[in-house]
Amino acid sequence: MDSTSVAADSTLFSLSQEAFFSEEFLALSLRIAVILAVGFPILLIVRGWVRSFVSKKYATHYGMLAGKVVFHVGLIILVITVMGQLGISLAPLLGAAGILGVAIGFASQTSVSNIISGLFLIAEQPFKVDDIITIGTSTGFVISIDMLSVKMRTFDNRYVRIPNEMIIKTEVINLTKFPIRRFNASISVAYKEDVAKVREVLLDVAEKNEFALSEPEPIIVFDMFGASSIDLLLLVWAPKDEYIKLKNSINEEVKARFDKEGIEIPFPHVSLYSGSASKSIPIEISDPKNQLSAPENQDTKK
Amino acid sequence: MGFTSFKKTIKKDPFMADSIWKTYKLNSEKDLHINIGDLHVWIRKKDEEIWVAHQYSGELNEEEPEGLEWSRWAPKSIEEIRIAPVFQDLPVIINSEYPLKVTKGSSIQIFSRIPVWLQISLANSKYVLTEIPSIKLSRTWFGSPQEGELCYWLSTKARRSLAGVENKPNVINCPIWISNETNEDLDFEKFCFRVERLSVFGVKEELWADETKIEYNGEEQHSDVTMTGKLPSTIGKGELMSKPRNPVSKSFATRTFKMFFDDAHISAR
């Protein structure tokens, strides 16, 4: 390296250093820092306030959505303000965004579909945050309803993300939409049992169960003549929060009471008849000597 | 009668001194045992704590059985405890054993007898330790499958008079006036009795609630319900033993007679 080039390098370095630490640059940096330092916490506070206000006044998921809208709008305003300070004009950026938007639009059809489905979900409100829903094979609590997806926590503590588009297309069962639920207990008794007595016993069990509601009153429905049993349905209501307790306790109580009353809960069995069902199977006892001689005869034939 | 303090009430009324509804000083050497109807309650002072357990006669084997499920409280200081009669924490659906038709334009008075709850609280601070029903009532739903409220369920005779009826220490006598203001008959079979808005009074050896007036305005309309805050004049003077749980307003319009629609009769599945 010759002396001329070394001198040019040192001049450039001193010039850039001067520009970098100029008074104007420092003032600009300070302004941006103040905007971010003040704007961002204010944005977070406003988001929290809006979320809490809307949640209390309407519903939790509306609050979450309103908070997100406020946050993203505020963030865009902050970015535009910072860009204005840096002297970056928005016009060429918006032009580029228009062209880019078409390209991105084609590439992100699924996301757009999810966003639109999300809007339908919010408007239709088939479930809320904290509801228990079943979608496909997953059942759990709704954690959040977002623009792209719904997040769920299953009872075995797994995190499930379901795209909004899928929710719009598939069947969703909301287990906690209504305040009470009915448990349909399938109960089978042997054909020899007196159905009137069984009915009486089942209604007594339902009446004494601590989770079963008196009204709507428990009902026994004669379901069908099964292959090995008479099949009954015991329909009992409980508050939605106590559904599982009802399900567990009433089945146990029915079993215990049937045991006490001597009512048989049958298992599947097959009766074999030869010819008419009213006649027993004829059994023929053959002479063992003949049985032994038979193979001998066969051998002789050979 | 005004809303006098409970302590004052106890000192004034001789019935209160003899009954279980009073303040007790706990003794660490011997448990306090209270029996009302089928309910047995044990209160124990132990290691600066208050222990409470209860059982019902059907479950009871001995005088103080082993294996009681105790609940414990550690108050700031062990003081006297107060036992007060209170109503249930939910409305009660009164189911009349024999349905009664109230013809159009007529008014009737009925008496329902509601099992009392025991409220155990610290006498000075009025901190409520626990509340125990003297009789366990089953729960029911009042409303439609989409909306309604949880209530207790009670079958009573809805008597027109209490003359000659045996006095029980664990029930509160509730006088109710029902007026049918419509041009149709009211099938009085069940109604929602909002007991959480009622006071409990001690009269001689009985517990009484203030009078309730219900105006029936039709099946699809809300009924006007008024808690008078006073005993009927025929009952005489009583002493206030507990205030309403929910003294929002003395008069309000609410669903009282319309009951549940069950579609299980159409399809069980």
Side-chain angles (χ1 to χ4, degrees), chain A residues 179-241:
Chain A
I180 51 173
R181 281 185 68 189
R182 193 181 75 187
F183 172 55
N184 304 342
S186 296
I187 291 157
S188 301
V189 292
Y191 271 97
K192 68 180 173 67
E193 301 299 344
D194 176 1
V195 177
K197 188 194 169 191
V198 172
R199 181 186 293 269
E200 197 179 299
V201 167
L202 287 175
L203 287 176
D204 191 49
V205 168
E207 191 187 322
K208 286 176 180 160
N209 183 285
E210 64 175 310
F211 305 108
L213 294 174
S214 299
E215 291 251 334
E217 60 184 356
I219 292 174
I220 312 287
V221 176
F222 195 119
D223 195 25
M224 62 187 290
F225 291 105
S228 312
S229 58
I230 293 173
D231 297 336
L232 304 169
L233 282 174
L234 170 61
L235 312 177
V236 202
W237 291 80
K240 65 181 178 187
D241 302 335

Side-chain angles (χ1 to χ4, degrees), chain A residues 165-183:
Chain A
E165 191 187 359
M166 189 185 153
I167 295 173
I168 289 288
K169 285 178 183 169
T170 51
E171 182 187 76
V172 179
I173 301 169
N174 188 339
L175 302 176
T176 49
K177 178 88 174 170
F178 300 128
I180 51 173
R181 281 185 68 189
R182 193 181 75 187
F183 172 55

Side-chain angles (χ1 to χ4, degrees), chain A residues 65-85:
Chain A
L65 190 73
K68 277 176 187 164
V69 168
V70 166
F71 182 75
H72 287 114
V73 169
L75 203 64
I76 290 167
I77 293 169
L78 264 183
V79 169
I80 291 170
T81 312
V82 170
M83 282 166 66
Q85 291 295 321

Side-chain angles (χ1 to χ4, degrees), chain A residues 177-180 182 184 186 207 209-217 219 221 223 233 235 237 239 242, chain B residues 93 138-142 144-148 150-151 153 190 259-265 267-269:
Chain A
K177 178 88 174 170
F178 300 128
I180 51 173
R182 193 181 75 187
N184 304 342
S186 296
E207 191 187 322
N209 183 285
E210 64 175 310
F211 305 108
L213 294 174
S214 299
E215 291 251 334
E217 60 184 356
I219 292 174
V221 176
D223 195 25
L233 282 174
L235 312 177
W237 291 80
E242 294 172 9
Chain B
I93 300 294
S138 65
R139 291 168 309 160
T140 188
W141 187 251
F142 185 69
S144 72
Q146 285 83 31
E147 58 171 353
L150 205 57
C151 302
W153 174 263
K190 303 161 197 169
M259 292 302 292
F260 191 85
F261 168 69
D262 186 10
D263 42 16
H265 297 285
S267 175
R269 292 283 183 188

Side-chain angles (χ1 to χ4, degrees), chain A residues 108-124 146-149 163-166 168:
Chain A
S108 59
Q109 282 181 42
T110 312
S111 302
V112 173
S113 168
N114 276 325
I115 290 169
I116 292 167
S117 301
L119 293 174
F120 280 118
L121 273 183
I122 288 159
E124 194 186 349
D146 296 327
M147 291 305 284
L148 288 175
S149 62
N164 288 341
E165 191 187 359
M166 189 185 153
I168 289 288

